[in-house]
């Protein structure tokens, strides 16, 4: 290059790049965050080119919807856009994660490495360490723009300054309402209305049908699918799970069957398929919204193979919650959750089994108890309702006992009777590891006190939470108790229980028809009333500000204590996951059983059923 040419080169404005061109030129993947460190190559995941380029400044698309499976590069394409905005098309940007906590994690991990590993970005953003750098956890300043990070659970964060670019990540995990101010997606999008050349990116793996935000957005878009040519006949088609074939539960035999010529082809064709693939709209377009759906079948060689998918499917197919996760994260499709209505009391009664209660059923290695507290204050229905469940590998469960201890829970007698169950050796060997008692209903003070006094025996106080997405059991919080007229500050603990989450899991399990992991056994003495109570709740749809909310509701005037007791016992089982290594918990519990017991079976407790 001559001196003059070099001089002119310096004056010429930077060419307008697309996001994929920018990434191919500048983006570097860190060895910390990526399995394939080094320069970014869009050719590795050709299906990402078009969604990324819709986010380029020279594209007329305003909203990009990506309903993608895990391990397809969705996250990195979002990062490429962030880099592109900072370095190439600066402007104010809002980055929304499901929660503020997740936004913090994203800032500390992904964003820091994105900036530090890519030289053109490191030049634009000062290190977070330096004072007044404009680079904080929730705000990154750069020439011509600023990136703000927040969570969909913070109305304040979503109401920030106007933003030309909005990136909402994992929107299916967003709450349906934030701080009573409505839908977080609409709240955030209002930030961009004043910008004619705005860009909004919505990404997620989908969740439950009719409740999935990303699916609703995709259905409102032009619904693009990635078409690839059959290696045998050349017919263009998008890859579907139903066309993946294998033999005799052997994942390594996985092959794809062409819909047109029915030839089966191996995964080694994948690089060629992806290279020759193209996005095609399957619905009319409004010219502003581009929607993309992509399953794990397209994951490049070396990331997630067809054999891996078959293997995942074979592991998940008999367990509804695992199958849901497979459908959502691997296939990027929504899950139809209508199974609750299919669990009938009659069908459950039919499958009762005559297993003995003198010993633990083969495979059972621990016992947890759930206690529901009814009444309080001398009413007629005063009682404790108690279910004991034995558990084995894969959460196979056996109902060992269900009974009511009649009496006022505000008086000590009923608690003394519960002591018998707390100290009982189930099957002649094992005491219950966890006895979870509901403190949310009646006699709260008594429950706190009992749990505090019996902590060493595994008794805990719990409180059910009806919100969706809560873990089965959370971290305990300290509460005051009233003992003998004195207030003892923070001397008892209460564990939050994700009742909605657990019910969804358990109703999936109740649908199992084959004993094994996840199956729930009921012994032959269980009466019809028990199953009426167990199935007393069903899922219903409620609409909040235009969004469907799924919630568990009790059938009118029905009793549901049997279900509550199972929910609490299952929460107790989940507490064990905090105490044991989850990968080896069943082996550890099993080994414990083989240790010799010193005491013989305690008597004095009669398992004659009350009903
Ligand atoms: Zn073909």
């Amino acid at each position: 290059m001559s001196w003059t040419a070099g001089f002119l080169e310096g004056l010429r404005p930077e060419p307008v790049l697309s996001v994929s061109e920018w990434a191919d030129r500048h983006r570097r993947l860190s060895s910390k965050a990526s399995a394939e460190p080094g320069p970014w190559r869009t050719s590795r995941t050709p299906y990402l080119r078009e969604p990324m380029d819709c986010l380029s400044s020279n594209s007329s698309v305003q909203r990009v919807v990506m309903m993608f499976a895990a391990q397809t590069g969705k996250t990195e394409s979002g990062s490429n856009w962030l880099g592109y905005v900072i370095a190439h098309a600066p402007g104010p940007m809002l980055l929304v994660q499901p929660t503020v906590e997740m936004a913090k994690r994203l800032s500390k991990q992904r964003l820091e490495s994105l900036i530090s590993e890519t030289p053109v970005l490191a030049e634009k953003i000062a290190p977070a360490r330096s004072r007044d750098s404009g680079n904080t956890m929730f705000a990154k300043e750069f020439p011509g723009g600023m990136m703000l990070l927040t969570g969909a659970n913070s109305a304040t964060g979503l109401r920030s300054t106007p933003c030309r670019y909005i990136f909402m990540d994992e929107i299916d995990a967003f709450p349906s309402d934030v701080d009573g101010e409505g839908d977080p997606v609409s709240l955030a999008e209002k930030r961009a209305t004043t910008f004619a050349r705005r860009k909004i990116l919505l990404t997620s793996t989908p969740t439950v049908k009719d409740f999935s935000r990303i699916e609703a957005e995709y259905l409102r878009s032009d619904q693009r699918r990635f078409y690839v040519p059959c290696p045998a006949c050349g017919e263009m088609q998008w890859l579907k799970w139903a066309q993946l074939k294998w033999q005799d539960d052997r994942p390594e035999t996985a092959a794809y069957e062409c819909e047109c010529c029915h030839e089966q082809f191996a995964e080694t064709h994948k690089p060629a398929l992806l290279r020759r693939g193209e996005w095609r709209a399957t619905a009319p377009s409004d010219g502003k919204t581009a929607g993309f759906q992509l399953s794990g079948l397209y994951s490049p060689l070396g990331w997630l193979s067809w054999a891996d998918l078959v293997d995942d499917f074979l592991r998940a197919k008999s367990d509804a919650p695992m199958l849901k996760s497979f459908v959502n994260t691997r296939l990027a499709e929504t899950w139809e959750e209508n199974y609750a209505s299919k669990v009938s009391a009659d069908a459950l009664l039919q499958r009762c089994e005559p297993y003995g209660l003198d010993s633990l059923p083969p495979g059972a290695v621990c016992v947890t108890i759930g206690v529901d507290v009814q009444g309080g204050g001398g009413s007629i229905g005063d009682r404790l309702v108690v279910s004991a469940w034995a558990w084995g590998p894969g959460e196979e469960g056996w109902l060992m006992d269900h009974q009511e201890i009649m009496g006022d829970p505000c008086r000590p007698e009923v608690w003394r009777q519960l002591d018998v169950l707390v100290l009982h050796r189930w099957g002649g060997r094992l005491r219950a590891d966890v006895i979870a008692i509901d403190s949310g209903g009646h006699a709260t003070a008594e429950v706190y006190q009992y749990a505090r006094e019996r902590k060493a025996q595994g008794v805990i106080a719990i409180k059910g939470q009806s919100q969706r997405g809560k873990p089965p059991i959370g971290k305990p919080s300290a509460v005051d108790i009233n003992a003998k007229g004195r207030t003892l500050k923070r001397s008892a603990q209460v564990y939050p229980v994700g009742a909605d989450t657990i019910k969804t899991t358990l109703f999936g399990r109740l649908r199992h028809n084959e004993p094994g992991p996840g199956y729930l056994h009921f012994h032959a003495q269980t009466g019809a009333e028990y199953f009426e109570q167990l199935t007393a709740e069903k899922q219903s749809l409620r609409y909040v500000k235009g969004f469907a909310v799924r919630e568990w509701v009790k059938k009118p005037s029905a009793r549901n204590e049997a279900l509550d007791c199972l929910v609490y016992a299952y929460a107790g089982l989940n507490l064990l996951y905090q105490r044991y290594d989850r990968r080896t918990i069943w082996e550890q519990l099993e080994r414990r059983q083989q240790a010799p017991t010193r005491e013989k079976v305690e008597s004095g407790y009669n398992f004659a059923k009350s009903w």
Side-chain angles (χ1 to χ4, degrees):
M1 198 189 291
S2 71
W3 183 85
T4 334
F7 179 72
L8 291 173
E9 180 77 8
L11 289 182
R12 204 177 297 147
E14 208 182 332
V16 176
L17 299 175
S18 69
V19 173
S20 65
E21 286 166 343
W22 180 86
D24 281 328
R25 227 178 252 202
H26 298 291
R27 175 81 199 282
R28 299 196 65 85
L29 297 168
S30 81
S31 50
K32 265 179 289 175
S34 172
E36 294 178 5
W40 167 269
R41 286 174 298 135
T42 305
S43 58
R44 186 86 172 96
T45 47
Y47 49 77
L48 290 178
R49 186 182 309 277
E50 191 167 308
M52 286 198 290
D53 288 353
C54 285
L55 296 161
S56 310
S57 17
N58 54 3
S59 158
S60 60
V61 173
Q62 286 184 346
R63 285 167 69 87
V64 176
V65 177
M66 291 174 77
M67 180 160 77
F68 271 39
Q71 285 181 280
T72 49
K74 166 173 70 77
T75 306
E76 292 305 336
S77 59
S79 296
N80 286 339
W81 185 41
L82 299 181
Y84 177 84
V85 167
I86 295 170
H88 195 73
M93 182 176 213
L94 180 64
L95 213 169
V96 190
Q97 289 280 303
T99 65
V100 173
E101 196 52 39
M102 286 168 83
K104 198 168 160 181
R105 214 177 311 145
L106 172 98
S107 177
K108 272 203 272 196
Q109 295 167 5
R110 250 167 66 198
L111 215 46
E112 280 301 324
S113 78
L114 168 71
I115 294 164
S116 62
E117 305 278 333
T118 304
V120 293
L121 299 179
E123 281 166 22
K124 308 258 179 183
I125 294 185
R129 293 179 290 283
S130 54
R131 272 171 160 236
D132 304 322
S133 62
N135 178 354
T136 67
M137 182 80 74
F138 296 108
K140 310 275 173 200
E141 268 180 44
F142 49 88
M146 164 112 145
M147 187 176 292
L148 299 167
L149 289 92
T150 189
N153 60 346
S154 161
T156 323
L158 298 175
R159 268 193 272 99
S160 65
T161 51
C163 286
R164 178 174 166 194
Y165 305 117
I166 300 178
F167 178 6
M168 289 183 259
D169 196 13
E170 286 306 330
I171 60 168
D172 271 30
F174 283 22
S176 54
D177 179 89
V178 50
D179 302 341
E181 296 192 26
D183 171 35
V185 172
S186 329
L187 263 186
E189 281 199 41
K190 279 194 195 127
R191 300 306 101 222
T193 43
T194 53
F195 292 90
R197 301 185 55 118
R198 59 184 170 271
K199 295 280 181 189
I200 292 158
L201 172 61
L202 303 154
T203 73
S204 196
T205 50
T207 50
V208 179
K209 189 155 197 66
D210 298 327
F211 298 96
S212 170
R213 286 172 179 280
I214 197 75
E215 187 183 52
E217 295 287 354
Y218 180 74
L219 292 175
R220 277 197 285 264
S221 77
D222 56 5
Q223 304 180 30
R224 299 180 199 193
R225 304 273 193 185
F226 199 65
Y227 281 70
V228 293
C230 166
C233 73
E235 179 73 17
M236 294 294 275
Q237 56 202 295
W238 62 276
L239 301 181
K240 300 168 190 76
W241 174 246
Q243 297 303 112
L244 196 66
K245 310 291 175 187
W246 62 91
Q247 288 151 19
D248 313 325
D249 287 1
R250 284 163 54 223
E252 70 279 8
T253 62
Y256 194 90
E257 186 180 302
C258 170
E259 283 174 66
C260 184
C261 70
H262 303 289
E263 280 288 311
Q264 295 194 354
F265 52 90
E267 190 161 26
T268 45
H269 290 281
K270 218 190 230 173
L273 293 185
L274 295 183
R275 200 167 51 242
R276 296 166 59 201
E278 63 186 40
W279 288 101
R280 291 184 183 176
T282 63
S285 162
D286 64 358
K288 300 279 178 209
T289 309
F292 302 88
Q293 192 271 348
L294 194 90
S295 78
L297 288 165
Y298 293 92
S299 188
L301 280 186
W303 289 16
L304 176 76
S305 68
W306 289 347
D308 292 339
L309 285 172
V310 173
D311 189 52
D312 277 4
F313 172 76
L314 292 174
R315 285 168 199 277
K317 66 174 182 180
S318 59
D319 185 68
M322 279 169 71
L323 192 57
K324 171 181 182 294
S325 163
F326 174 83
V327 168
N328 291 159
T329 65
R330 296 303 195 208
L331 304 185
E333 289 173 13
T334 50
W335 170 254
E336 284 201 59
E337 209 165 67
N338 55 2
Y339 46 76
S341 56
K342 290 186 188 151
V343 176
S344 81
D346 284 347
L348 292 174
L349 183 62
Q350 295 300 317
R351 63 179 227 200
C352 286
E353 309 156 56
Y355 52 88
L357 298 171
D358 304 335
S359 58
L360 286 176
V365 292
C366 66
V367 173
T368 63
I369 295 177
V371 183
D372 189 41
V373 181
Q374 290 287 321
S379 64
I380 297 163
D382 285 355
R383 64 195 182 277
L384 303 180
V385 188
V386 188
S387 289
W389 281 87
W391 303 100
E395 300 187 344
E396 186 168 8
W398 291 264
L399 179 62
M400 298 298 289
D401 188 33
H402 180 82
Q403 61 170 295
E404 300 185 345
I405 301 174
M406 300 307 291
D408 182 355
C410 294
R411 302 187 57 82
E413 293 83 27
V414 281
W415 298 103
R416 278 202 286 274
Q417 290 184 61
L418 183 61
D419 271 346
V420 177
L421 291 171
V422 168
L423 299 174
H424 181 69
R425 287 189 183 277
W426 298 90
R429 296 190 77 90
L430 282 182
R431 278 190 182 152
D433 281 290
V434 181
I435 300 95
I437 310 178
D438 179 33
S439 67
H442 308 278
T444 304
E446 285 74 13
V447 174
Y448 287 170
Q449 173 120 18
Y450 186 76
R452 178 171 164 267
E453 288 168 356
R454 300 290 187 281
K455 191 177 171 184
Q457 283 77 41
V459 176
I460 59 167
I462 53 148
K463 187 165 184 339
Q465 296 176 302
S466 56
Q467 300 99 313
R468 298 188 65 197
K470 298 282 175 192
I473 193 160
K475 291 199 186 95
S477 53
V479 288
D480 300 345
I481 66 164
N482 247 312
K484 302 183 185 82
R486 288 187 308 141
T487 302
L488 305 175
K489 293 275 184 211
R490 303 174 63 78
S491 67
Q493 290 189 313
V494 182
Y495 289 78
V497 163
D500 180 277
T501 309
I502 295 179
K503 284 173 190 171
T504 303
T505 300
L506 292 175
F507 273 86
R509 300 276 169 88
L510 286 171
R511 216 168 56 127
H512 283 204
N513 286 319
E514 275 175 56
Y519 188 84
L520 298 174
H521 300 260
F522 300 93
H523 63 72
Q525 295 172 40
T526 318
E529 166 69 14
Y530 177 89
F531 294 108
E532 288 301 327
Q533 291 190 18
L534 197 63
T535 56
E537 294 189 18
K538 65 180 179 63
Q539 284 184 315
S540 79
L541 288 184
R542 192 163 59 91
Y543 286 86
V544 179
K545 297 189 169 92
F547 274 92
V549 181
R550 178 183 57 74
E551 58 185 12
W552 289 94
V553 286
K554 193 155 68 84
K555 294 170 191 162
S557 77
R559 286 176 56 185
N560 64 347
E561 295 102 87
L563 176 60
D564 283 341
C565 289
L566 172 54
V567 168
Y568 305 154
Y570 185 76
L573 174 66
N574 277 264
L575 188 61
L576 296 182
Y577 295 137
Q578 297 174 14
R579 298 181 187 163
Y580 292 87
D581 183 336
R582 198 163 180 150
R583 288 162 302 183
T584 57
I585 178 168
W586 302 108
E587 288 88 338
Q588 291 179 68
L589 292 171
E590 162 93 61
R591 244 176 278 134
R592 192 179 62 160
Q593 262 201 89
Q594 287 153 3
T597 39
R598 265 171 286 153
E599 298 156 64
K600 283 306 286 176
V601 182
E602 280 155 47
S603 56
Y605 173 57
N606 179 8
F607 282 102
K609 304 300 302 166
S610 44
W611 51 299

